[in-house]
Every structure is written in C-alpha cells, then in structure tokens.
C-alpha cells in the first residue's frame, strides 16, 4: 500500500476517528494520543493540535488539564450525534426501501424581496431527498418529512404546496420524474468508489496490509462511503437502472470496512498504549452488522445530513 500523504479536512478525520472508535467512551484521552494517531494520516503535530482545538470549540470535545498535559473527552451531545451519524453512514445501501409507486410533488413561492430564501429552501428540499424536475417543481418518491416542512416554515417559506399521487402518464426523457435526480451523473461516483475499494479487498485477501495502512484505509473508506451516500439520490430499487452498481459498491464497502477492522484496531490500541494504556480495553469499533443492529436514527433514517464533516 502507499505511504500516507497529508490529508485535507483534519477536523473531519478527527471526528470520524472519534465517532468510529470512541463511541460510549467517557474517559478523558490525552492530546498526545490524537497527535500520534493523526500522524498516520500525514498530519503534523501543529495541524493535529489545531484540529483538536477547533473540534473542541465546535462543542464535540471537552478539554481538561492534568498538570501541564491536556486531555479531551467526547461531550454528551457528541456521543449521541456521532452514534446517529455512524448508523446513517454505514447503513447506506444496505437495504433499499420498498416503494408504493406514489410520488410527492412540492412547490413553493418566494416574493422578490425575500429571494435570498430560495437557496435555503432548495437546500432543505434536496436534503429531504427531493429532486428539481422543472423550475419550482420538486419531486420525491417519499413523503415530505415533518421536520423538513417545519424547517421551510422556520426560514419564512409559508407559501408551499405539497401533494402526492402516482404518475398517470409517462412521457419519458425530461418528463420522467426520475430525470430530476440526474442518475447518470452519480454513476461515475459509484464506479470510482468501486475502483478505489476493490484493490483494498484484493490486498486483504493476500494479507498485504499493515496495521498502519489498515487504520488509514478504514477511515478513508468510511469517508468515501459517506461522501457517496450524501451524493446518491434517495430512490427505491424500482427506479434504479438494472445495471446500477450500488449493490457491488455496498459489497466492497462491507468487505473492506470489516476486513480492515482487526488490524486497524490493533494500530489504535498501539497508539493508546503509548499515552493511556488503561484505555486499551475501551478501543473498538462496530462492524457493519453491529451498526445495523443499533436503534434507528431519530427522524428519517434514509437521508444523511449534507456538508457537516466527519460523522457529525
């Protein structure tokens, strides 16, 4: 495997590490541990400590002092949020929801003096699984969630109409509601994930991945799966092309994420042992099957929250 190169988004990697390996761990962890483990991702000590400070300011970590040493612990709010995000990310593509053939159509109107609200409204609809079919006409195979409707009202959109029904006439092309989701623009993302992940699975079969590489690759694979889930339209299998490669991508994700687990965990325990050996028994992460057994996330579990970084 290749050597680690410095990564962009150090906060994202730090949050992903915390959400993957420290869920439920209330102990305080020395900052030196984070510096050591982020070094596996090519981050300098300065970059690692800056990431710690920024994540703490965001309310995910609570710092404390013991003499001259700084320690960090996940806040209560972070435990809940990271657990929810881990389930949303890892469960993506595991089961495609059955569909009853009903479409939801949403339209809204904003006066010219409030045109700045349009972007916010569009973001809410996109994050709710809606696609733009025509100007001002949004469609989804799923109902508009109550929290999304409330979010529209909260930003000041009070002229919104939502109705449901089956598409009685199929015109094809741009008239097909599925065209609102630009599936063929997403296909290369799936193919790219497959191309990156298949060599990892092959290397696992040949036992050619070191613990250091395993930790880095496992976190990077989870990051890539999250990015894919955030860009993949929320459509039932009925509406996907017969040759859609999501099933293959999901299989490779499971093989890589679960196959890297033991060696990655060994590397994490090595790092913990250098600065807080008493925490070694606490270090473990959930397999894809164990994540599937977690209680469902609050709200609609199908869609991820876009653009929040890490598991947050």
């Amino acid at each position: 495997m290749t050597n680690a190169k410095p990564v962009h988004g150090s906060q994202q990697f730090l949050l992903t590490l915390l959400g993957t390996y420290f869920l439920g761990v209330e102990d305080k962890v020395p900052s030196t541990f984070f510096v050591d483990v982020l070094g596996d991702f090519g981050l300098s000590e300065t970059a690692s400590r800056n990431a710690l400070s920024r994540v703490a300011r965001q309310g995910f970590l609570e710092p404390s002092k013991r003499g001259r040493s700084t320690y960090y612990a996940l806040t209560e709010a972070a435990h809940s949020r990271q657990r929810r995000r881990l389930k949303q990310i890892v469960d993506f593509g595991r089961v495609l929801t059955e569909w009853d053939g009903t479409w939801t159509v949403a339209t809204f109107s904003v006066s010219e003096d409030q045109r700045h609200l349009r972007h916010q409204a569009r973001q809410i609809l996109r994050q709710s699984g809606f696609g733009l079919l025509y100007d001002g006409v949004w469609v989804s195979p799923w109902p508009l969630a109550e929290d999304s409707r409330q979010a529209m009202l909260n930003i000041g959109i009070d002229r919104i109409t939502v109705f449901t029904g089956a598409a009685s006439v199929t015109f094809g092309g741009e008239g097909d509601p599925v065209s609102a989701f630009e599936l063929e623009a997403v296909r290369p993302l799936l193919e790219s994930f497959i191309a990156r992940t298949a060599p990892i699975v092959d290397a696992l079969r040949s036992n050619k991945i070191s613990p250091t590489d395993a930790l880095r690759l496992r976190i990077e694979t989870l990051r890539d799966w999250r990015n894919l889930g955030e860009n993949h339209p929320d459509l039932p299998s009925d509406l996907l092309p017969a040759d859609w490669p999501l099933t293959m991508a999901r299989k490779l994700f499971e093989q890589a994420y679960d196959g890297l687990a033991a060696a990655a965990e060994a590397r994490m325990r090595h790092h913990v042992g250098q600065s807080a050996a008493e925490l070694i028994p606490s270090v473990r992460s959930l397999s894809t099957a164990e994540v599937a057994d977690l209680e469902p996330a609050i709200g609609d579990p199908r869609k991820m929250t876009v653009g929040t970084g890490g598991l947050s």
Side-chain angles (χ1 to χ4, degrees):
M1 306 306 291
T2 58
N3 293 326
K5 297 180 180 179
V7 296
H8 297 290
S10 54
Q11 296 174 73
Q12 171 185 310
F13 272 83
L14 177 56
L15 283 166
T16 302
L17 281 165
L18 288 166
T20 305
Y21 288 95
F22 286 90
L23 283 180
V25 177
E26 298 180 357
D27 302 88
K28 297 176 181 179
V29 182
S31 61
T32 51
F33 159 76
F34 295 105
V35 171
D36 289 344
V37 75
L38 288 173
D40 283 357
F41 295 87
L43 293 174
S44 67
E45 179 176 349
T46 299
S48 298
R49 293 190 183 280
N50 286 341
L52 279 167
S53 297
R54 288 193 293 268
V55 171
R57 286 196 296 271
Q58 292 170 9
F60 292 106
L61 289 173
E62 183 177 350
S64 61
K65 285 281 191 178
R66 292 182 190 173
R68 299 178 61 183
S69 300
T70 302
Y71 287 72
Y72 292 91
L74 275 172
T75 62
E76 184 177 344
H79 277 297
S80 175
R81 188 164 180 168
Q82 299 295 78
R83 180 179 179 277
R84 181 173 70 249
R85 283 293 287 145
L86 181 65
K87 182 166 181 62
Q88 288 175 321
I89 294 167
V90 173
D91 276 358
F92 164 64
R94 185 174 64 86
V95 177
L96 292 177
T97 309
E98 293 184 1
W99 186 51
D100 63 2
T102 300
W103 286 94
T104 300
V105 181
T107 63
F108 67 91
S109 179
V110 176
S111 60
E112 280 303 308
D113 61 336
Q114 291 186 306
R115 59 188 306 173
H116 62 282
L117 298 178
R118 290 174 185 165
H119 176 71
Q120 296 180 58
R122 290 166 182 161
Q123 282 295 99
I124 292 170
L125 288 170
R126 285 194 179 96
Q127 292 177 13
S128 300
F130 280 72
L132 182 61
L133 183 59
Y134 307 119
D135 287 343
V137 179
W138 295 78
V139 295
S140 171
W142 314 114
L144 179 67
E146 174 57 27
D147 57 353
S148 299
R149 186 191 71 84
Q150 191 59 52
M152 296 282 279
L153 294 175
N154 289 343
I155 66 170
I157 306 294
D158 52 10
R159 288 190 291 174
I160 178 170
T161 301
V162 179
F163 49 94
T164 61
S168 59
V169 178
T170 301
F171 292 97
E174 295 183 359
D176 187 340
V178 177
S179 68
F181 299 92
E182 301 179 342
L183 281 173
E184 290 311 309
V186 178
R187 186 186 291 272
L189 301 179
L190 283 160
E191 293 172 343
S192 178
F193 179 86
I194 290 169
R196 290 193 305 274
T197 311
I200 297 174
V201 174
D202 289 341
L204 280 167
R205 291 171 179 153
S206 303
N207 197 28
K208 293 181 178 180
I209 300 180
S210 69
T212 300
D213 282 336
L215 176 60
R216 177 176 56 82
L217 289 170
R218 193 167 192 254
I219 294 300
E220 290 176 352
T221 298
L222 184 64
R223 173 204 61 190
D224 292 346
W225 192 244
R226 184 203 70 229
N227 291 340
L228 183 57
E230 290 176 349
N231 287 282
H232 193 283
D234 186 20
L235 296 176
S237 57
D238 311 57
L239 299 177
L240 296 173
D243 64 343
W244 195 244
L246 178 58
T247 299
M248 179 183 296
R250 172 71 198 189
K251 181 179 180 180
L252 288 170
F253 167 70
E254 290 182 356
Q255 291 175 333
Y257 190 73
D258 292 338
L260 292 164
E265 187 173 299
R267 183 61 177 172
M268 284 291 287
R269 290 186 172 185
H270 166 79
H271 283 305
V272 171
Q274 301 301 301
S275 53
E278 69 279 5
L279 297 182
I280 288 178
S282 300
V283 176
R284 72 176 301 269
S285 67
L286 302 178
S287 67
T288 54
E290 289 172 323
V291 171
D293 287 337
L294 292 176
E295 289 296 320
I298 297 173
D300 188 343
R302 292 190 307 266
K303 289 302 294 180
M304 302 181 187
T305 302
V306 177
T308 51
L311 296 182
S312 61

